[in-house]
Amino acid sequence: MMDDMSAHQSVAAALDAADPLSTFADRFSPGPDGVIYLDGNSLGRPPKAVQAAVRDLMEREWPTDLIQGWDRWIDLPTAAGDLLGEAVLGARPGEVLVCDSTSVNLYKLAAAALDAAPAGRRVLITDNDNFPTDRYILEGIAHSAGARFQLIDTDIDEGVDPGVIADAIGDDTALVCLSHVAYRSGALADMRAVTEIVHAAGGLVLWDLCHSAGSVDIDLTGDGVDLAVGCTYKYLNAGPGAPAFLYVRRELQQRLRQPIWGWFSQADQFAMGQEYRPHDGINRFAVGTPSIPGVVAVKAAVELVAEAGIAAIRAKSLQMVAHAHALCEEQLAPLGFRVATPTDPQRRGGHLTLHHERAWQISQAMRKANVIPDYRAPDRIRLGFAPLYNSFSDIDEAVERIATIVRTEAHLSFSAQPSRVT
Ligand SMILES: *Cc1c(COP(=O)(O)O)cnc(C)c1O
């Protein structure tokens, strides 16, 4: 008779054998030996195609083409945006631009929405568990525009409750900005329901897709979303600090004017005219010269995701979270862990969050044991599963190493004081 552990191993082996995405792991640069990387939700691993594309730019295109390279490079941010829109976001051509950072894009779009709101709509709403940069930027916009910043309450495990939003908004709301997947718990918000609630009250909605782009199947068009931003270095694997993206629904573009009147947003940029006249299309949300190594990386990274298909990625992601959840309930719950991610698959993103009162010490011991998670204050460990390179067996091995750490109290020899970068 099999014991529990080997029964699970056979489950994992069967899931791996049936995994249609299993060959994609070879498309990534090999990681250090023996390391189980469960932090693709913070920084994805490097796809070989991204490395090759950046190398080609550096070693061939730039040295050969020099300034003439711009004849092609100038259109890359919209080309990469269209590809991302089609393959990952459910957006139409001309609605997505790859540029700047998520923080800067959020600033541009939220400020534009406030500026375009009818008189009397002067409130910006987000939730108190939204990612810090989102809260700070909205508060900063409200501060400089003389508008009001309103925080609604969100349970840090369950995520955004549409009912709380419905209660909070009214005829003074200009914009509601929320994260699609909560960075801490991995709770998935109901994009369509929330968007409808905001629209019924006459406001605009801005979704932060950082933790869902490349992991969850998103339908910005179908869900009627107005605005969105997100990064490309998490599940999209474009590399540390790779440029972010912004999305503006086609029908809204002419009405919105972003606050940074850079020359890349000018209608006839190279006429170098006296007067600022914003571009007709998505380029009106650009600012200055794009990072071409960054955009090249994004394009190659998105091509890989497109090849795998976001539906297959989402299907495997949900299976991975469910498999990990079952294992954690069985093997880690008796050791003081609690799963802090919603149990309903419809309400989950791509990572599983564990609560433990010694989470920081355990996360350090995990790194020592070659399992890389990340820690989020105050007492959470996130296990991020990247369907393109993690296997089900990785999950079993990781859970077993975590259980061993806690059982042998190996974590108690690590500092209880979190370091600057967690
Ligand atoms: C990672 C993340 C960001 C990051 O913003 P940057 O400008 O790239 O630093 C923003 N919002 C959310 C929800 C994130 O998870």
Side-chain angles (χ1 to χ4, degrees):
M1 219 176 72
M2 282 194 280
D3 61 20
D4 278 354
M5 191 58 79
S6 57
H8 272 297
Q9 276 161 356
S10 68
V11 170
L15 288 167
D16 282 334
D19 173 11
L21 299 179
S22 61
T23 57
F24 278 85
D26 286 339
R27 310 284 292 276
F28 287 78
S29 183
D33 270 352
V35 169
I36 299 176
Y37 190 68
L38 299 182
D39 212 356
N41 55 330
S42 271
L43 176 64
R45 284 180 48 202
K48 291 173 184 169
V50 169
Q51 295 175 315
V54 174
R55 203 179 300 123
D56 187 58
L57 175 77
M58 290 297 176
E59 294 179 359
R60 190 186 58 79
E61 276 196 62
W62 176 20
T64 313
D65 297 354
L66 297 169
I67 192 72
Q68 280 178 322
W70 278 111
D71 293 347
R72 265 173 302 113
W73 299 333
I74 196 93
D75 292 323
L76 269 182
T78 45
D82 282 347
L83 183 65
L84 183 62
E86 189 196 346
V88 176
L89 305 176
R92 297 165 292 179
E95 294 185 319
V96 180
L97 183 69
V98 173
C99 61
D100 303 314
S101 65
T102 302
S103 299
V104 169
N105 288 335
L106 192 93
Y107 173 76
K108 291 186 291 186
L109 297 193
L114 180 64
D115 191 45
R121 289 194 179 268
R122 302 297 293 162
V123 183
L124 301 174
I125 296 180
T126 189
D127 73 285
N128 58 1
D129 195 44
N130 201 352
F131 192 79
T133 206
D134 301 50
R135 288 182 278 112
Y136 304 154
I137 283 169
L138 294 169
E139 187 173 6
I141 291 170
H143 178 80
S144 53
R148 193 158 69 81
F149 172 62
Q150 184 181 347
L151 280 175
I152 58 167
D153 278 335
T154 290
D155 181 276
I156 70 169
D157 295 334
E158 288 303 314
V160 169
D161 176 350
V164 174
I165 294 166
D167 290 343
I169 61 177
D171 56 12
D172 58 356
T173 307
L175 179 74
V176 176
C177 169
L178 299 167
S179 285
H180 190 204
V181 170
Y183 77 99
R184 195 194 333 258
S185 71
L188 176 69
D190 188 335
M191 179 179 274
R192 178 172 298 197
V194 171
T195 299
E196 279 173 7
I197 289 169
V198 177
H199 284 171
L204 293 180
V205 70
L206 194 174
W207 287 100
D208 183 330
L209 308 176
C210 279
H211 275 285
S212 55
S215 165
V216 176
D217 45 338
I218 299 169
D219 185 7
L220 295 177
T221 305
D223 288 348
V225 171
D226 303 305
L227 307 164
V229 296
C231 64
T232 62
Y233 51 77
K234 293 172 178 162
Y235 291 106
L236 290 169
N237 313 306
F245 62 87
L246 60 80
Y247 160 88
V248 181
R249 170 178 282 275
R250 197 187 282 159
E251 292 77 8
L252 267 178
Q253 291 178 5
Q254 296 296 315
R255 269 178 53 204
L256 298 186
R257 192 178 267 230
Q258 58 130 330
I260 310 175
W261 293 12
W263 71 311
F264 268 70
S265 66
Q266 167 75 4
D268 188 4
Q269 181 185 3
F270 288 96
M272 306 287 187
Q274 281 304 323
E275 235 173 84
Y276 177 71
R277 203 162 47 80
H279 194 281
D280 278 345
I282 194 71
N283 272 319
R284 75 201 270 122
F285 302 96
V287 177
T289 307
S291 159
I292 295 305
V295 183
V296 160
V298 171
K299 185 159 173 287
V302 173
E303 280 164 357
L304 188 67
V305 169
E307 188 188 327
I310 196 69
I313 289 173
R314 172 64 168 161
K316 180 174 173 187
S317 169
L318 280 176
Q319 269 188 314
M320 294 182 106
V321 176
H323 181 70
H325 187 173
L327 268 187
C328 289
E329 287 293 358
E330 188 185 287
Q331 294 182 33
L332 299 183
L335 298 170
F337 288 90
R338 176 175 64 80
V339 172
T341 296
T343 45
D344 177 356
Q346 310 272 351
R347 302 234 34 245
R348 286 176 158 179
H351 69 266
L352 189 75
T353 300
L354 301 175
H355 165 268
H356 192 286
E357 58 181 15
R358 295 197 178 267
W360 168 243
Q361 287 170 294
I362 294 167
S363 70
Q364 291 170 91
M366 286 170 67
R367 281 168 197 244
K368 181 94 186 302
N370 280 338
V371 182
I372 316 289
D374 57 15
Y375 162 83
R376 282 293 172 263
D379 46 23
R380 301 288 201 275
I381 291 169
R382 294 192 309 194
L383 305 178
F385 308 116
L388 291 183
Y389 51 81
N390 287 132
S391 67
F392 291 91
S393 311
D394 283 347
I395 297 174
D396 287 28
E397 179 62 29
V399 170
E400 195 179 333
R401 289 187 205 175
I402 297 169
T404 303
I405 287 166
V406 178
R407 221 179 277 122
T408 61
E409 302 192 336
H411 59 295
L412 297 181
S413 62
F414 290 86
S415 162
Q417 192 60 42
S419 58
R420 175 167 141 66
V421 178
T422 61

